[in-house]
């Protein structure tokens, strides 16, 4: 999961000074996947200096984005990053 954030599809969740791991994804939506997919990101972070830990899951439904723009990294990971940063006080 750490590799996903450091070098893979979840780079928008990086937090300096913290170990962050996560998984990105999209989910089909609507009859025969006819509607805009949902984007999701599940993650955890551990502050290297304090040892404080947090886990976050974000699901973005009906984003209004173009189908080609929907991704876990593009829509959900930035939200998770902000939540984890706030929880870790970073």
């Amino acid at each position: 999961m750490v590799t996903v954030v450091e070098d893979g599809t979840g780079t928008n969740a990086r937090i300096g000074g913290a170990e962050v791991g996560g998984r990105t994804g999209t989910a089909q939506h609507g009859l025969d996947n006819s509607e805009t997919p949902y984007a999701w990101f599940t993650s955890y972070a551990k502050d290297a200096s304090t040892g404080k830990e947090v886990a976050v899951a974000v699901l973005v439904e009906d984003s209004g984005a173009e189908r080609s723009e929907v991704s876990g990294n593009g829509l959900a990971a930035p939200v998770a990053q902000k939540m984890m940063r706030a929880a870790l006080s970073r």
Side-chain angles (χ1 to χ4, degrees):
M1 289 177 74
V2 173
T3 303
V4 169
V5 174
E6 290 179 354
D7 301 313
T9 59
T11 57
N12 285 333
R14 291 179 185 151
I15 299 172
E19 176 185 80
V20 180
R23 295 294 294 178
T24 62
T26 57
Q28 295 179 350
H29 176 220
L31 185 60
D32 294 325
N33 193 26
S34 60
E35 299 192 38
T36 303
Y38 296 155
W40 57 264
F41 187 72
T42 58
S43 56
Y44 72 89
K46 181 176 181 179
D47 187 292
S49 61
T50 66
K52 197 177 202 182
E53 298 175 301
V54 63
V56 173
V58 174
L59 173 64
V60 179
E61 299 178 346
D62 304 321
S63 66
E66 293 294 321
R67 178 178 287 274
S68 62
E69 299 298 316
V70 175
S71 72
N73 189 47
L75 296 178
V79 175
Q81 186 225 39
K82 288 177 180 150
M83 294 170 66
M84 290 185 295
R85 190 181 294 275
L88 298 175
S89 301
R90 287 203 145 283

